Amino acid sequence: MGNSICKRFRAHRRTRAPPEGHEQGQVSASSTRTASPKPPATSMPNSRPLLPESSEFPDVPRAKTIPMALTMPKPHPLHPPRPEFIPFTVTNLCPYFPWDGLDYMTFPERQGWLVHCKDKQCHTLCPPGFCNGGLEDDAARLYRYDVADGPASPMLSRVDGSPITSTSKAAFLQAWLFFGTLHEMSRLCGLSMDIDGEFLADGGRAISTAALNGLAGRWFASLHHENVGNKVFMQEIFTIYRHLALLLNKEVVEESGPEGSNRRKKPAAFTYTPEEARVFLSIELVLRTIGLHLLLHCYSPTLSCDESDGWSRRKITQVMEWRGRRIEGFDTLEDYADTQLEDHGWCPIELLPLPNPELFFASLLDRPRIRDHSNCGSKVCGAYQTDEATYRTAHVDATCECDFVSVSTSDLEVLRQDKIPVILISEDLNLEVVETASFPYIALSHVWADGLGNPVENALPKCQLRRLRSYVVGLYNTYYRDQLSTPEPAVAFWMDTLCVPVAEEAKAFRKQAIQLLGKTYHEATAVLVLDRELEIFNAASAPFFEIGLRILCSGWVKRLWTLQEATLASEAHGEEKIYFQMGDGPLLYQKYDRDRPAVHTVPNDTDPREVRAEERILLCDDWLMIHLGERLPSVRAMRIMRKDWSPFYVVCTAIQHRTTSKAEDVPLCVGSLLGFDISTIAHAPDGEHRLKAFYILMRVIPYSVLWVEDVEKLGIAPFRWAPVSITVFPFSAASLEPNDGRCDEEGLHVRPYSSFVVKDVVASDLQGAMPDRFRLVDSEKGLHYGALWLSRDRRAVPLPTLDRKMAIIIASPEREVMPNAAFVLISADSSSTHSDDAEITGTVIGYRFFAPERKGPEDAVVYCTPMSESQRWCIT
């Protein structure tokens, strides 16, 4: 895998684009230095609840009667509170010119630095450093600045005129914006803490960010009650917050050039080492911690200001989430993390969707090398494929040779009555098949590549059964104890290995069991996910970002049939009931709050359980929540579309990069999730005809499918436009448009953005094929429409003839697909007149890139007749 592949993908998915710009000002003073007085030491752990008990701070005035906090998780009373961020260490670059303990804003003057960027705070929602009129929508936020631009250079300079290096800038900002900000925030909030003791590591040579976890709440708990929710006090904190955000912006070099040249990407002013780049990420976490602290004020019932005063939660998150924000040093971190993750054996498709800083945090994770991903590509992970001919059921320990315990096929005959067989397992590992009506049961979802399958008989080794029994009992004891009447629950479980017949003589039962899969997972008391990598990870004290990232990268999420199991179980009976078996017990998966019970009350909240959107942004959690929701959608999300979404889009995002050992299963699985009558799919003679039946049932197909050139297409007419595999279909081409296609037995009916019928081709050297590059010109009016040139496809397209008419159809410019032009061979019996009510039939035979109004070569011209905007086409 090349880094460039991942970067292109992330560039499309990234919600935070490169920075825009800022206003300029200047601060200067004489250069003086004063030794930093050491604050009194207080013994504090590195990770604390956001609202500590008052007994921990007996001498500090505080708002004792305010029962609110951020919705940080407390999943179990015996577990410590989870940290907000994944901690890391960074080199201490400023031991020789540390924070001096004096006035915060004039620190640069005392150190001989000049600050040339200024935050005017002109409007409530203007990003730090420049004005956009206070408007919120993307277009308004971009009307003055290119998303690839950042604050003009220089942002900083030295009083003595000496040059600034990447190291000196990182060291200066570390002293001021990391240590100085921590001192200033603690002073304002009245928190006495030993900052050096809590943050310095390795004898002062390194800095650990671990103590940032819980610090927002410690600051809040130390406040004098008059400052809680106080507008004046909040504005003072907010000024520091915006100050950090402004100085963290990526600094770019201003270059002279013609008017409008500032609309192109500008080079970075500094190139950082990975260690220097980590300094800026550590400051970014300080920024996010201050944001979390401000949210505590917004949640306070004593809040003295509201949106009419310019205060809102959006005001806090807008500082960091305005489109165009890029952080200094993050380009270096992205390259570094890419290399690290590749070297550590991550699968290429795990890296593709990760933006920054999530990509860097991923590189901090310690993952076991359970699978070999060296042969995986950027579209499919092959590490979890299995072959029934060579498959072997695994024991818990490779040296174990214990006996197998089996379920008789005759015991599974309840399937004949459309009943679901489930297994009761005793302490001595005897198996008894019972009906679901008699016992609550847990459905197990697993990946066969982990060794829990058996293609030969319905049996598992005793060691595995003992482990599965402990998991099932542990889940009930942890989450359903109040529903149990006995100390040792008689709990049943369902597992495909034991409950779906595999014997040759039981084919009819097997088919019935598969048809009952939806009911099986929907009616289960809970669904427990078993994944080999997750089972050795202790999740109790890990940030939810880390847990979510590990789930997204698990083998379980890479397989197709597990999507059906998760989707059918998600939000069943009005609640989410998917649990992941971790090394320290089962973890309840909740899509939006991931087991974060709210401990505060906010008026007019629709769901007090859900973590506020602004918290997710500050916790680097918003992208993860969205991506988890796309990868593990509920049945409702699959069948009831949001505005501007299509079933094809939801399907593509959910199954992208998922694999199955039998490709012909894909339309069956997806069709059942969408609630289709899949009998026509099931009875199709082969895989291609199954896909044909699936596309007809889907009916609404994004017309951008016509310009997807690098995926294999079906070989049967009239479906030669259709991808053979929707698991590798680019979701960027799958979202809804007003003129999306309609699929039926005749093909795909579309109304493209524009289309042209070729009349003549004039070129110096044709050689029987369309030229590689040419201009597109109106044959009657002489109008120049643009230029076309070869795409990656590079297929030779034959010249049109009297018997072979040809057209060029163009994708909408808003549809960011490449290539965006397709050659269509018009059917002999099809009309190519200007009649709007006459549909033209044709087949895509090649691709080009089209640039409107570009000049193109003088010696290659294609003369054409433009079709009306309402012209209908049937692509076969």
Side-chain angles (χ1 to χ4, degrees):
M1 177 198 71
N3 286 349
S4 59
I5 296 176
C6 294
K7 288 181 181 177
R8 286 199 302 271
F9 189 96
R10 284 194 293 271
H12 179 80
R13 291 298 302 267
R14 186 177 288 129
T15 56
R16 291 183 289 277
E20 300 181 355
H22 67 89
E23 303 292 342
Q24 292 189 348
Q26 185 174 9
V27 179
S28 64
S30 60
S31 174
T32 60
R33 288 182 57 186
T34 306
S36 175
K38 188 175 180 66
T42 303
S43 176
M44 295 286 192
N46 284 342
S47 178
R48 289 205 175 252
L50 286 167
L51 279 182
E53 295 297 328
S54 58
S55 60
E56 294 181 339
F57 302 88
D59 301 323
V60 182
R62 61 181 53 78
K64 298 180 180 179
T65 60
I66 300 177
M68 92 293 295
L70 298 176
T71 50
M72 292 298 99
K74 294 182 181 178
H76 193 281
L78 300 180
H79 293 164
R82 297 187 188 276
E84 293 95 326
F85 309 107
I86 299 175
F88 62 94
T89 59
V90 58
T91 301
N92 183 7
L93 299 178
C94 59
Y96 301 111
F97 42 93
W99 168 250
D100 58 15
L102 301 180
D103 180 68
Y104 178 67
M105 286 298 184
T106 58
F107 178 75
E109 304 170 11
R110 298 192 299 275
Q111 298 297 318
W113 288 72
L114 301 176
V115 180
H116 301 285
C117 50
K118 182 180 179 182
D119 180 21
K120 291 184 176 181
Q121 297 196 42
C122 48
H123 299 89
T124 299
L125 294 178
C126 285
F130 68 86
C131 175
N132 65 6
L135 303 175
E136 294 190 53
D137 61 279
D138 285 347
R141 290 205 292 275
L142 296 176
Y143 80 98
R144 282 183 55 192
Y145 299 92
D146 189 281
V147 297
D149 292 347
S153 184
M155 293 174 64
L156 304 166
S157 65
R158 300 302 302 269
V159 171
D160 59 9
S162 59
I164 297 177
T165 65
S166 60
T167 302
S168 62
K169 179 178 178 179
F172 167 67
L173 293 182
Q174 186 181 66
W176 186 22
L177 302 185
F178 187 85
F179 287 106
T181 302
L182 291 175
H183 277 277
E184 182 69 2
M185 283 294 301
S186 298
R187 181 189 69 80
L188 289 172
C189 296
L191 174 63
S192 177
M193 65 181 299
D194 180 5
I195 292 176
D196 287 352
E198 293 197 32
F199 287 92
L200 293 182
D202 192 22
R205 290 182 291 272
I207 299 168
S208 171
T209 64
L212 291 176
N213 290 315
L215 186 56
R218 292 169 64 188
W219 283 333
F220 191 79
S222 300
L223 289 172
H224 191 280
H225 66 87
E226 292 180 353
N227 288 333
V228 176
N230 180 278
K231 178 181 178 181
V232 176
F233 181 81
M234 290 171 64
Q235 188 60 43
E236 188 170 2
I237 301 296
F238 190 66
T239 298
I240 297 173
Y241 180 64
R242 289 179 62 95
H243 174 68
L244 260 68
L246 174 61
L247 288 172
L248 279 174
N249 275 326
K250 178 182 176 182
E251 187 172 357
V252 298
V253 176
E254 286 290 348
E255 294 181 331
S256 60
E259 185 178 354
S261 62
N262 64 322
R263 299 299 294 175
R264 56 189 166 79
K265 187 173 182 178
K266 299 176 181 179
F270 295 95
T271 301
Y272 297 96
T273 66
E275 277 302 313
E276 292 165 354
R278 289 162 81 109
V279 169
F280 296 100
L281 180 57
S282 67
I283 298 172
E284 172 74 6
L285 294 192
V286 174
L287 172 70
R288 292 172 182 266
T289 302
I290 296 173
L292 292 171
H293 174 79
L294 285 169
L295 287 181
L296 287 170
H297 288 273
C298 290
Y299 296 155
S300 168
T302 63
L303 182 66
S304 63
C305 49
D306 54 27
E307 292 193 20
S308 63
D309 298 309
W311 267 101
S312 66
R313 304 175 202 173
R314 177 64 189 275
K315 176 178 180 176
I316 297 170
T317 57
Q318 178 73 2
V319 169
M320 297 197 321
E321 287 302 303
W322 55 279
R323 184 177 177 184
R325 182 173 186 249
R326 287 286 284 167
I327 302 171
E328 188 80 312
F330 269 32
D331 290 341
T332 297
L333 283 183
E334 182 172 353
D335 293 338
Y336 170 78
D338 262 333
T339 302
Q340 288 285 76
L341 292 168
E342 287 181 37
D343 292 345
H344 292 164
W346 284 52
C347 180
I349 66 170
E350 295 171 351
L351 308 186
L352 291 177
L354 294 179
N356 247 324
E358 289 84 350
L359 187 72
F360 172 75
F361 285 129
S363 71
L364 299 174
L365 302 186
D366 182 19
R367 290 184 68 191
R369 290 201 181 192
I370 293 177
R371 303 287 171 196
D372 179 11
H373 295 284
S374 59
N375 294 321
C376 297
S378 61
K379 293 182 179 179
V380 174
C381 172
Y384 292 86
Q385 294 290 72
T386 59
D387 182 356
E388 288 189 4
T390 58
Y391 187 89
R392 294 189 63 184
T393 304
H395 290 260
V396 173
D397 188 288
T399 62
C400 179
E401 297 181 353
C402 64
D403 294 335
F404 278 61
V405 180
S406 63
V407 173
S408 171
T409 301
S410 60
D411 290 337
L412 300 175
E413 289 189 4
V414 293
L415 289 164
R416 192 194 304 272
Q417 306 167 38
D418 283 343
K419 294 181 179 179
I420 301 169
V422 293
I423 308 295
L424 275 180
I425 181 170
S426 65
E427 285 190 69
D428 55 0
L429 305 182
N430 288 323
L431 305 182
E432 179 185 356
V433 178
V434 296
E435 296 178 13
T436 55
S438 306
F439 292 91
Y441 69 96
I442 292 173
L444 303 183
S445 178
H446 67 104
V447 177
W448 271 51
D450 285 344
L452 283 174
N454 191 333
V456 179
E457 61 176 334
N458 297 111
L460 283 173
K462 284 186 175 181
C463 60
Q464 293 286 16
L465 291 172
R466 186 176 294 107
R467 184 172 67 102
L468 296 179
R469 184 181 188 276
S470 70
Y471 286 169
V472 171
V473 172
L475 174 57
Y476 261 91
N477 284 335
T478 302
Y479 289 95
Y480 298 94
R481 191 77 193 108
D482 57 343
Q483 302 177 23
L484 303 175
S485 57
T486 59
E488 187 68 20
V491 178
F493 72 94
W494 183 96
M495 187 181 191
D496 58 351
T497 308
L498 299 176
C499 300
V500 177
V502 295
E504 187 67 24
E505 65 273 14
K507 279 187 176 180
F509 295 159
R510 176 178 176 81
K511 185 176 180 180
Q512 186 62 23
I514 292 174
Q515 291 177 348
L516 288 172
L517 282 178
K519 182 179 179 181
T520 299
Y521 282 95
H522 187 74
E523 294 187 354
T525 302
V527 174
L528 181 61
V529 174
L530 306 179
D531 180 273
R532 186 177 170 190
E533 184 175 338
L534 296 178
E535 287 179 61
I536 58 178
F537 166 63
N538 292 329
S541 59
F544 269 101
F545 169 80
E546 178 179 354
I547 296 172
L549 189 58
R550 289 182 183 273
I551 289 174
L552 280 176
C553 295
S554 67
W556 182 80
V557 171
K558 296 183 181 74
R559 301 298 284 171
L560 180 69
W561 284 104
T562 56
L563 169 65
Q564 185 187 51
E565 296 160 8
T567 297
L568 294 171
S570 182
E571 301 172 10
H573 312 297
E575 62 181 16
E576 299 185 27
K577 57 176 186 176
I578 300 178
Y579 299 81
F580 288 85
Q581 183 63 46
M582 301 294 184
D584 47 8
L587 175 83
L588 175 62
Y589 165 78
Q590 292 176 277
K591 189 178 305 176
Y592 299 110
D593 55 11
R594 282 181 298 294
D595 198 22
R596 293 179 179 175
V599 293
H600 68 280
T601 300
V602 179
N604 302 321
D605 269 2
T606 56
D607 185 358
R609 295 179 310 151
E610 185 174 332
V611 172
R612 311 295 170 256
E614 61 273 9
E615 292 178 40
R616 297 195 194 99
I617 292 172
L618 294 170
L619 293 168
C620 303
D621 211 314
D622 52 332
W623 164 85
L624 190 68
M625 181 273 293
I626 293 171
H627 206 49
L628 279 169
E630 290 176 342
R631 298 294 282 162
L632 302 173
S634 65
V635 171
R636 179 182 177 84
M638 295 284 282
R639 300 180 183 178
I640 303 177
M641 293 297 106
R642 296 184 183 182
K643 183 181 178 182
D644 296 332
W645 282 28
S646 71
F648 203 89
Y649 176 82
V650 175
V651 165
C652 285
T653 54
I655 71 173
Q656 192 176 51
H657 307 307
R658 290 180 183 266
T659 56
T660 176
S661 299
K662 299 178 180 179
E664 62 271 18
D665 287 348
V666 175
L668 277 173
C669 178
V670 178
S672 64
L673 287 176
L674 293 172
F676 294 160
D677 177 1
I678 60 174
S679 58
T680 56
I681 300 176
H683 293 110
D686 53 42
E688 285 205 335
H689 285 84
R690 278 189 172 188
L691 279 166
K692 172 185 173 181
F694 169 77
Y695 285 121
I696 292 174
L697 289 171
M698 181 67 71
R699 188 172 176 270
V700 179
I701 306 293
Y703 91 134
S704 292
V705 70
L706 300 180
W707 291 274
V708 178
E709 64 169 337
D710 53 356
V711 298
E712 186 181 356
K713 306 293 179 64
L714 294 180
I716 54 176
F719 289 83
R720 290 167 290 194
W721 51 266
V724 166
S725 175
I726 53 177
T727 61
V728 296
F729 187 85
F731 65 83
S732 59
S735 52
L736 191 66
E737 269 198 8
N739 56 347
D740 270 342
R742 298 296 183 268
C743 178
D744 59 22
E745 293 280 358
E746 296 178 350
L748 184 64
H749 304 271
V750 298
R751 280 182 176 169
Y753 176 75
S754 57
S755 57
F756 307 87
V757 174
V758 176
K759 293 298 184 182
D760 192 14
V761 180
V762 178
S764 58
D765 186 14
L766 290 177
Q767 296 183 351
M770 295 292 288
D772 291 348
R773 301 171 64 90
F774 59 86
R775 290 187 296 143
L776 193 63
V777 177
D778 192 310
S779 60
E780 295 182 3
K781 300 179 182 179
L783 296 175
H784 174 75
Y785 294 113
L788 292 92
W789 65 96
L790 276 176
S791 67
R792 293 189 303 273
D793 181 65
R794 306 191 71 83
R795 231 185 303 177
V797 177
L799 289 169
T801 64
L802 291 176
D803 299 327
R804 188 204 298 265
K805 294 182 180 180
M806 186 184 298
I808 300 172
I809 60 175
I810 309 293
S812 167
E814 297 178 358
R815 174 65 98 188
E816 301 179 356
V817 294
M818 283 294 175
N820 56 353
F823 288 107
V824 175
L825 183 64
I826 299 175
S827 301
D829 58 350
S830 183
S831 170
S832 57
T833 67
H834 288 275
S835 175
D836 292 346
D837 57 359
E839 186 175 62
I840 303 176
T841 302
T843 303
V844 174
I845 58 173
Y847 299 96
R848 287 291 191 275
F849 292 114
F850 172 71
E853 300 179 3
R854 181 173 290 187
K855 239 181 140 178
E858 296 291 340
D859 61 346
V861 180
V862 171
Y863 293 97
C864 63
T865 298
M867 310 303 289
S868 70
E869 292 183 0
S870 59
Q871 178 62 56
R872 294 177 294 115
W873 292 78
C874 178
I875 307 300
T876 62

